[in-house]
């Protein structure tokens, strides 16, 4: 090799090419990971991609419409519904094409969606009703700084109306629990509104019955006398002790345990248990629909598991889609609506 090779550099022989000596699998990996050359998109490609994106919502909407009942179908054998104001048969031909709203909702929503929407609306309705029942306590709290003599105003400003705020919060909490315990429902029919009004009146009555007992206990404590014996607020005769009208289940004993529950009075403990049972009673109306929907979901899950197991094997397949117990149709719990007297 001459001095020109050292100064200008000589070309490498073909045998010394480093890529030639690489393992074939490594070369295949490098070729696969090499970034692809940029290719500008044409107008036809963008148009086809846009059409594919716009077709999916339309197909989903078309499938949803297929499940909806035909509202123009004439039902000759259908009797006159209760919604008709004319029981003598007038306008019966119009009612032949009537489709109840419940059938439309059942075809457009799953039971889980209906249950979620129902409880969301029921929670808002209970919130508004409890605020209406506690309007007096709310008014006192709202005008706290503007009422009373100068000593009372000084006390309220020093404590930031803590006493009034505590009274309102407790009223709202207890009124809400009484509404849940007595089976307050979402008003969808006129008869529901009438029943909810009766429930609201009775819940307010039980709330003031509880306050009267607490005031009697405070008065007896101030006069250093033994307090009156506690009674169940759900007992109209006020003779039975709290928790005497109900029997706690094993699940309720596991749920209602701890210092927070033990610090409550016996009447508050009874009310909390009955409020939970009232929610279970309302949810029981959807029990059959939820069970059927859960059974369908369980069957689909088993089919997915079988497909994954056939591809990846039983060990990996059951790790990806683990086994789940089938849904069990539960029993309807006790409720407090029988105490609505």
């Amino acid at each position: 090799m001459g001095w020109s090779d050292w100064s200008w550099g000589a070309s490498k022989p073909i045998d010394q090419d480093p890529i030639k000596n690489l393992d074939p699998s490594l070369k295949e990996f490098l070729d696969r990971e090499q970034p692809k050359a940029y290719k500008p998109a044409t107008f036809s490609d963008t148009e086809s991609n846009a059409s594919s994106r716009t077709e999916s919502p339309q197909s989903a909407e078309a499938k949803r419409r297929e499940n909806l009942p035909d509202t123009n179908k004439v039902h000759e054998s259908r009797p006159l519904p209760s919604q008709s104001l004319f029981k003598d048969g007038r306008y019966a031909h119009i009612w032949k094409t009537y489709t109840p709203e419940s059938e439309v909702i059942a075809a457009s929503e799953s039971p889980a969606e209906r249950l979620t929407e129902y409880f969301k609306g029921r929670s808002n309705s209970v919130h508004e009703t409890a605020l209406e029942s506690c309007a007096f306590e709310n008014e006192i709290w709202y005008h706290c700084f503007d009422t009373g003599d100068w000593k009372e105003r000084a006390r309220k400003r020093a404590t930031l109306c803590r006493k009034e705020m505590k009274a309102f919060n407790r009223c709202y909490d207890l009124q809400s629990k009484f509404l849940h315990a007595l089976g307050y429902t979402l008003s969808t029919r006129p008869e529901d509104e009438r029943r909810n009004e009766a429930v609201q009146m009775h819940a307010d009555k039980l709330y003031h019955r509880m306050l009267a007992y607490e005031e009697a206990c405070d008065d007896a404590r101030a006069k250093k006398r033994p307090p009156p014996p506690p009674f169940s607020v759900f007992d109209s005769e006020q003779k039975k002790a709290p928790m005497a009208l109900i029997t706690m289940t094993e699940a309720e004993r596991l749920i209602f345990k701890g210092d927070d529950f033990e610090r409550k009075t016996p009447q508050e403990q009874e009310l909390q248990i009955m409020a939970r049972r009232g929610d279970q009673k309302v949810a029981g109306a959807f029990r059959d629909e939820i069970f059927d929907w859960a059974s369908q979901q369980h069957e689909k899950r088993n089919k997915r598991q079988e497909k994954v197991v056939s591809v990846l094997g039983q060990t990996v397949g059951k790790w990806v889609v683990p086994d789940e117990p089938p849904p069990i149709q539960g029993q309807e719990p006790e409720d407090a609506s029988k105490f609505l007297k």
Side-chain angles (χ1 to χ4, degrees), residues 32-93:
R32 187 172 62 252
E33 296 297 324
Q34 184 179 5
K36 297 180 180 180
Y38 173 74
K39 184 185 297 184
T42 60
F43 178 75
S44 59
D45 295 338
T46 57
E47 190 177 32
S48 62
N49 293 335
S51 63
S52 62
R53 287 194 300 268
T54 56
E55 283 176 2
S56 55
Q58 293 177 358
S59 60
E61 184 66 22
K63 291 180 179 179
R64 182 181 290 270
R65 289 182 178 180
E66 289 178 359
N67 297 328
L68 293 177
D70 187 8
T71 56
N72 295 323
K73 183 179 178 180
V74 178
H75 302 273
E76 296 293 345
S77 60
R78 176 175 292 177
L80 195 66
S82 59
Q83 289 83 355
S84 177
L85 300 178
F86 303 96
K87 305 303 180 183
D88 56 355
R90 281 182 289 175
Y91 309 107
H93 63 285

Side-chain angles (χ1 to χ4, degrees), residues 262-311:
E262 296 296 334
R263 280 196 294 265
K264 296 180 182 293
T265 62
Q267 292 179 342
E268 291 178 345
Q269 292 178 0
E270 181 187 35
L271 175 59
Q272 188 168 355
I273 295 173
M274 298 305 288
R276 180 178 179 273
R277 291 188 177 184
D279 290 339
Q280 288 181 322
K281 174 69 176 180
V282 174
F286 297 86
R287 184 177 61 252
D288 296 335
E289 295 185 46
I290 292 296
F291 176 75
D292 295 339
W293 176 79
S295 301
Q296 295 175 3
Q297 297 298 319
H298 184 70
E299 293 178 1
K300 292 179 181 179
R301 182 184 182 87
N302 291 339
K303 291 180 180 179
R304 290 197 304 270
Q305 187 187 64
E306 293 176 0
K307 186 175 181 180
V308 174
V309 167
S310 63
V311 176

Side-chain angles (χ1 to χ4, degrees), residues 177-184 195 199 202-203 206 234 336-337 340:
K177 289 181 179 178
F178 275 119
L179 292 172
H180 282 281
L182 295 175
Y184 191 89
R195 184 185 181 278
V199 168
H202 194 68
L206 297 184
F234 294 98
S337 59
L340 186 58

Side-chain angles (χ1 to χ4, degrees), residues 13-39:
I14 299 177
D15 297 339
Q16 296 182 2
D17 188 5
I19 301 179
K20 183 179 179 181
N21 297 329
L22 288 177
D23 186 73
S25 60
L26 180 58
K27 290 180 64 177
E28 182 181 356
F29 173 76
L30 293 175
D31 294 338
R32 187 172 62 252
E33 296 297 324
Q34 184 179 5
K36 297 180 180 180
Y38 173 74
K39 184 185 297 184

Side-chain angles (χ1 to χ4, degrees), residues 61-273:
E61 184 66 22
K63 291 180 179 179
R64 182 181 290 270
R65 289 182 178 180
E66 289 178 359
N67 297 328
L68 293 177
D70 187 8
T71 56
N72 295 323
K73 183 179 178 180
V74 178
H75 302 273
E76 296 293 345
S77 60
R78 176 175 292 177
L80 195 66
S82 59
Q83 289 83 355
S84 177
L85 300 178
F86 303 96
K87 305 303 180 183
D88 56 355
R90 281 182 289 175
Y91 309 107
H93 63 285
I94 299 178
W95 287 103
K96 294 297 182 180
T97 60
Y98 171 71
T99 302
E101 185 182 3
S102 58
E103 294 184 9
V104 179
I105 295 177
S108 59
E109 295 180 353
S110 66
E113 292 174 343
R114 289 198 298 275
L115 182 64
T116 302
E117 291 297 327
Y118 180 86
F119 270 92
K120 189 182 298 183
R122 179 173 179 259
S123 178
N124 295 334
S125 182
V126 168
H127 167 73
E128 295 175 359
T129 306
L131 287 179
E132 182 180 345
S133 300
C134 298
F136 181 72
E137 289 78 2
N138 191 13
E139 187 75 10
I140 294 177
W141 180 32
Y142 184 78
H143 296 287
C144 176
F145 294 121
D146 304 331
T147 56
D149 55 9
W150 67 272
K151 292 183 180 179
E152 190 69 15
R153 291 187 181 185
R155 193 268 307 171
K156 292 176 181 178
R157 291 184 182 276
T159 60
L160 297 177
C161 297
R162 178 177 177 81
K163 179 181 177 181
E164 290 75 12
M165 180 183 64
K166 188 176 180 181
F168 168 73
N169 290 337
R170 188 164 188 267
C171 174
Y172 174 80
D173 181 58
L174 293 179
Q175 290 276 8
S176 301
K177 289 181 179 178
F178 275 119
L179 292 172
H180 282 281
L182 295 175
Y184 191 89
T185 59
L186 182 63
S187 298
T188 56
R189 298 171 299 176
E191 50 267 28
D192 292 339
E193 295 181 1
R194 291 191 293 269
R195 184 185 181 278
N196 286 341
E197 186 176 355
V199 168
Q200 180 183 2
M201 298 288 289
H202 194 68
D204 189 65
K205 176 183 176 181
L206 297 184
Y207 167 71
H208 285 93
R209 182 184 295 175
M210 180 184 290
L211 290 186
Y213 172 76
E214 293 176 355
E215 291 176 1
C217 291
D218 294 339
D219 184 63
R221 195 178 298 109
K223 296 180 180 179
K224 297 182 179 180
R225 293 184 305 184
F231 59 88
S232 173
V233 292
F234 294 98
D235 182 18
S236 58
E237 298 179 357
Q238 303 182 15
K239 294 181 179 179
K240 296 183 179 180
M243 309 293 291
L245 297 175
I246 59 176
T247 303
M248 290 185 66
T249 61
E250 189 64 29
E252 290 173 341
R253 291 191 181 93
L254 295 175
I255 294 173
F256 299 111
K257 67 177 182 179
D259 297 336
D260 293 338
F261 185 75
E262 296 296 334
R263 280 196 294 265
K264 296 180 182 293
T265 62
Q267 292 179 342
E268 291 178 345
Q269 292 178 0
E270 181 187 35
L271 175 59
Q272 188 168 355
I273 295 173

